[in-house]
Amino acid sequence: MLRSQVSFLTAKNPRATVVGCIRHKSSGGRRPKKKTYHRVPELDRVMELRKKPLMILQLKTLIQSQPRNSPLFLRDLEKNVGFVRKWDFMALIERHPTIFRVAGAPPSVSLTDKARRVAQEEVRARELMEPVLVTNLRKLLMLCVDCRVPLETLELVGAELGLPSDFEECLIAKYPQFFAIRRVRGRDFLHLEDWDSSLAVTAREARLAQEGVLNTKPNQDQRKVKISRDGNYVGPFAFKVNFPAGFRPNVGYLQQLERWQKLEFPSPYLNARRFDVADPKSRKRAVAVIHELLSLTMEKRLTSSQLDAFHSECFLPSQLLLCLIKHQGIFYLTNKGVRSTVLLKDTYLGSNLIDKCPLLEFNNKFVALCGRRNTDLCDSNNSLQTKV
């Protein structure tokens, strides 16, 4: 017999633990069994697949950051990565002679000629990335209630957004018509200078518009159809849902989910102060805000701490973890890797990221020099093909 799942519209606040939030009903007065969070091996594998590419790219950056194009001495590696990780990087250098070359006395590591040629393409990738960064940064500020975000928060999520380490000088200062840095109560904030209503379109709405869903008239099809078994519903306020393999919702849960999918809600780009937090529409809007935040990142994911850093700026739910667990068809929480990470499910096909920005395409091309295809996760015919 199918068992009940967590209610989407409940007003109660159960304990916010991954194990304790989702329970089965029990009979006969027995203690209810705990229902663990449903794992998705393909999305867990995302974090495993990125470990090696991250190390390769980090070592490339260290080599390129040496003054006057001098090689990186192996004896100095510990200063940059620490004693423990030094040995991981030494093994990496030894395993990939097609990318890294060791020579000289004292020994130093540098890029091979082929790796250096590919690395030069990063300049072009950064150029292509700049308009994407400017647009995404403007949209991020528009999501915030006061159209501003602390610089320390931007530094925390900068790598996930694709921002360069010196983004204040090379990006913010370059666009004074859009951005300004001001000090508020002892903290530096990045402020939005110009609101553009044409940017106030979420990634979810853009997808629905591309599919022609937003152009349909309300109540256009009143035919009686069976409720969707996968939780998906065609409508302007619906989210794409992808249940894990072990998730078996009953009819009552699916009916409740369909009502939630049909529920209208305000745009995430409207000021959150205008809405009552207890209103079901506001709670659904909060899901849309999280969805949009993740959509603005390069790999459509953030760690739990990075997402929580936007709590006050975006009025995220007070029990953020519980919200993510309730909507496990939309978001996925994985504990693989160093930190727990939240992934946006509809942007992945298995372990593959569906759409990639120019910078991710370059990263994949560089890491492919080690002989590993599909390093970031999506086997697409992109514009940055590895030269033989």
Side-chain angles (χ1 to χ4, degrees):
M1 185 174 183
L2 293 175
R3 300 173 179 177
S4 64
Q5 309 294 332
V6 174
S7 170
F8 275 80
L9 305 179
T10 179
K12 297 181 180 179
N13 294 322
R15 292 166 52 198
T17 61
V18 174
V19 176
C21 282
I22 306 178
R23 294 176 178 271
H24 285 308
K25 282 186 178 179
S26 63
S27 59
R30 292 177 296 176
R31 185 176 180 180
K33 295 182 180 180
K34 293 181 178 179
K35 176 61 179 174
T36 56
Y37 189 71
H38 291 276
R39 310 313 311 178
V40 181
E42 294 83 0
L43 294 179
D44 284 334
R45 188 167 176 262
V46 169
M47 308 308 297
E48 298 293 332
L49 286 173
R50 66 187 296 267
K51 288 181 180 179
K52 181 178 175 181
L54 278 180
M55 290 183 63
I56 292 176
L57 294 171
Q58 184 179 353
L59 185 55
K60 174 190 74 72
T61 302
L62 281 175
I63 294 173
Q64 291 178 319
S65 65
Q66 298 305 301
R68 297 182 296 277
N69 294 323
S70 60
L72 173 65
F73 291 105
L74 293 182
R75 67 189 180 192
D76 297 330
L77 193 58
E78 183 178 333
K79 299 177 183 178
N80 295 282
V81 300
F83 176 77
V84 176
R85 295 197 70 205
K86 175 185 73 172
W87 302 107
D88 294 332
F89 279 94
M90 295 285 284
L92 188 76
I93 294 170
E94 184 178 358
R95 285 197 301 267
H96 301 296
T98 57
I99 301 179
F100 306 110
R101 177 177 57 195
V102 178
S108 61
V109 58
S110 59
L111 296 177
T112 63
D113 293 339
K114 185 175 183 179
R116 191 180 298 109
R117 288 196 300 269
V118 175
Q120 291 173 352
E121 299 181 21
E122 184 175 4
V123 176
R124 176 56 179 164
R126 290 283 182 184
E127 291 175 355
L128 294 174
M129 193 69 186
E130 185 170 306
V132 178
L133 289 176
V134 172
T135 298
N136 287 352
L137 199 52
R138 293 173 69 190
K139 290 169 72 75
L140 178 64
L141 293 172
M142 290 169 64
L143 282 175
C144 300
V145 289
D146 295 315
C147 294
R148 70 185 187 192
V149 66
L151 281 182
E152 59 193 39
T153 302
L154 276 183
E155 292 169 357
L156 178 66
V157 301
E160 280 65 32
L161 294 174
L163 294 174
S165 56
D166 57 345
F167 69 90
E168 294 182 48
E169 293 77 23
C170 69
L171 190 68
I172 304 302
K174 192 174 178 180
Y175 296 93
Q177 68 273 32
F178 298 141
F179 311 113
I181 297 177
R182 300 191 183 97
R183 197 162 184 82
V184 180
R185 294 189 293 274
R187 300 173 68 191
D188 289 330
F189 283 77
L190 180 65
H191 287 249
L192 180 68
E193 293 290 275
D194 177 55
W195 177 278
D196 188 349
S197 57
S198 66
L199 297 180
V201 179
T202 64
R204 183 194 66 86
E205 292 171 323
R207 178 181 62 82
L208 292 177
Q210 187 176 10
E211 296 172 357
V213 175
L214 296 183
N215 298 326
T216 59
K217 297 180 181 180
N219 303 323
Q220 184 173 345
D221 190 356
Q222 295 290 342
R223 291 175 299 171
K224 187 69 175 177
V225 295
K226 291 183 178 180
I227 191 168
S228 172
R229 295 179 61 87
D230 62 3
N232 286 294
Y233 169 78
V234 179
F237 298 100
F239 288 81
K240 190 173 182 180
V241 173
N242 182 14
F243 290 138
F247 192 79
R248 295 292 183 268
N250 59 18
V251 175
Y253 177 88
L254 291 173
Q255 289 174 340
Q256 193 176 42
L257 176 57
E258 181 171 314
R259 289 194 296 270
W260 184 85
Q261 288 277 48
K262 294 179 179 179
L263 180 67
E264 299 181 15
F265 64 95
S267 169
Y269 288 99
L270 295 178
N271 196 311
R273 291 195 178 96
R274 298 168 52 181
F275 312 112
D276 181 10
V277 179
D279 190 336
K281 294 182 179 181
S282 295
R283 294 202 294 271
K284 186 174 180 181
R285 178 190 176 277
V287 175
V289 171
I290 300 172
H291 189 287
E292 187 68 359
L293 278 174
L294 295 174
S295 298
L296 295 177
T297 64
M298 288 199 304
E299 298 182 71
K300 317 307 176 189
R301 56 178 173 77
L302 287 170
T303 65
S304 299
S305 58
Q306 288 172 331
L307 188 58
D308 194 56
F310 290 95
H311 199 280
S312 58
E313 277 71 31
C314 297
F315 278 26
L316 297 182
S318 57
Q319 292 185 328
L320 181 58
L321 178 61
L322 177 61
C323 177
L324 296 170
I325 291 173
K326 282 183 178 180
H327 300 282
Q328 60 177 310
I330 303 173
F331 310 112
Y332 182 67
L333 281 164
T334 177
N335 291 323
K336 299 293 183 180
V338 180
R339 302 174 182 87
S340 65
T341 304
V342 184
L343 296 95
L344 191 57
K345 277 188 159 184
D346 62 8
T347 60
Y348 283 87
L349 182 61
S351 298
N352 299 335
L353 185 64
I354 297 173
D355 295 317
K356 290 191 280 188
C357 63
L359 188 56
L360 281 182
E361 290 181 349
F362 164 77
N363 290 343
N364 282 358
K365 180 177 181 179
F366 186 85
V367 177
L369 291 173
C370 71
R372 175 177 175 175
R373 295 187 60 222
N374 250 0
T375 55
D376 184 68
L377 316 170
C378 185
D379 189 10
S380 61
N381 296 322
N382 55 62
S383 59
L384 293 171
Q385 299 294 328
T386 305
K387 298 177 183 178
V388 181

